[in-house]
């Protein structure tokens, strides 16, 4: 499935589309879940695993588009104009209009795409609470970095959950790692609605 993701990324960048189509057919993929970045991908796959779901075996491929602005391109390649896959995904509230236009242009239905208020990290932090998120940060050895970050003047007027959200994006790879860790720490009743609804839709 990772090979399919890489092939689709190359196709979206201007490469040939035939290899992606052949690979999707061989893997019996019928649904593409479009997410903005790799941290969202990590969260979706982690939650699926926790629920006993094997998305690749079910014919579902989660694809990181490398930014919300790419939705029109990916929807056209993978949706009705392209491979004809069923589309689903997550988007942030302030980027919903891009998704709406991109999906409409591709002739893809809007249902199946679920909206996070700020972004998925914000949803996860609010679901867990900052104290629980801090416990995870401590376990991962990032507590000194977190404490130094919160002492910065620019952070003083921000509420704790916004500080934590910003902290996760301050180091390359941190959002991906915590996308998995925060999702894995969720109790059954804590799963944010967009993530819960997406998995239920698949």
């Amino acid at each position: 499935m990772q090979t399919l993701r890489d092939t689709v990324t190359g196709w979206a960048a201007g490469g040939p589309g035939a290899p992606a189509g052949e690979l999707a057919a061989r893997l019996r993929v019928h649904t593409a879940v479009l997410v903005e970045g790799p941290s969202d991908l990590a969260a979706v796959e982690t939650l699926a695993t926790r629920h006993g779901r094997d998305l690749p075996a079910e014919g579902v491929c989660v694809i990181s588009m490398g930014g919300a602005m790419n939705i029109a391109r990916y929807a056209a390649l993978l949706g009705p104009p392209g491979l004809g896959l069923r589309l689903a995904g997550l988007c942030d509230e302030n980027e919903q209009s891009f998704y709406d236009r991109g999906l409409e242009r591709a002739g893809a239905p809007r249902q199946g795409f679920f909206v996070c208020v700020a972004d998925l990290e914000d949803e996860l932090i609010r679901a867990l609470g900052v104290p629980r998120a801090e416990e995870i940060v401590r376990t991962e050895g990032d507590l000194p970095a977190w404490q130094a970050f919160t002492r910065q003047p620019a952070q003083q007027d921000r509420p704790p959950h916004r500080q934590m959200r910003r902290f996760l994006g301050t180091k390359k790879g941190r959002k991906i790692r915590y996308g998995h860790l925060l999702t894995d720490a969720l109790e059954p009743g804590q799963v944010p609605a967009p993530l819960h609804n997406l998995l239920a839709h698949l």
Side-chain angles (χ1 to χ4, degrees):
M1 200 62 79
Q2 184 57 50
T3 302
L4 176 58
R5 291 182 185 127
D6 294 341
T7 305
V8 169
T9 298
W11 186 17
E22 293 165 3
L23 191 52
R26 190 158 73 245
L27 295 173
R28 298 182 180 179
V29 173
H30 55 73
T31 299
V33 179
L34 303 179
V35 295
E36 180 177 345
S39 62
D40 304 313
L41 188 155
V44 171
E45 291 198 328
T46 297
L47 186 66
T49 299
R50 286 195 59 188
H51 282 73
R53 303 277 300 272
D54 184 343
L55 296 183
E58 295 176 21
V60 177
C61 183
V62 186
I63 297 176
S64 167
M65 300 184 295
M69 302 299 181
N70 294 321
I71 180 63
R73 178 69 172 153
Y74 277 80
L77 295 180
L78 301 175
L83 298 187
L85 303 180
R86 174 183 182 233
L87 301 180
L90 294 170
C91 71
D92 301 342
E93 190 174 60
N94 63 353
E95 291 157 349
Q96 188 175 354
S97 61
F98 293 111
Y99 277 68
D100 290 342
R101 288 195 296 271
L103 293 170
E104 183 178 6
R105 219 171 314 160
R110 181 66 182 76
Q111 65 262 30
F113 284 81
F114 301 93
V115 181
C116 302
V117 172
D119 55 23
L120 186 54
E121 286 77 25
D122 179 69
E123 295 276 358
L124 292 170
I125 293 163
R126 286 190 289 109
L128 285 169
V130 173
R132 179 70 181 103
E134 282 184 335
E135 288 178 19
I136 297 168
V137 167
R138 181 183 294 108
T139 300
E140 291 299 301
D142 286 332
L143 187 61
W146 161 245
Q147 291 173 332
F149 178 80
T150 59
R151 288 195 293 267
Q152 294 177 6
Q155 302 304 318
Q156 297 307 303
D157 294 331
R158 287 180 173 169
H161 79 275
R162 288 187 61 196
Q163 290 178 338
M164 179 64 73
R165 175 179 169 237
R166 181 70 187 89
F167 172 72
L168 297 185
T170 57
K171 183 179 178 182
K172 185 176 181 180
R174 184 177 280 159
K175 283 180 72 172
I176 302 171
R177 182 159 55 102
Y178 280 94
H180 163 72
L181 292 167
L182 297 178
T183 303
D184 197 46
L186 293 169
E187 297 294 336
Q190 291 181 317
V191 179
L195 200 51
H196 174 274
N197 292 340
L198 173 63
L199 191 61
H201 180 77
L202 298 177

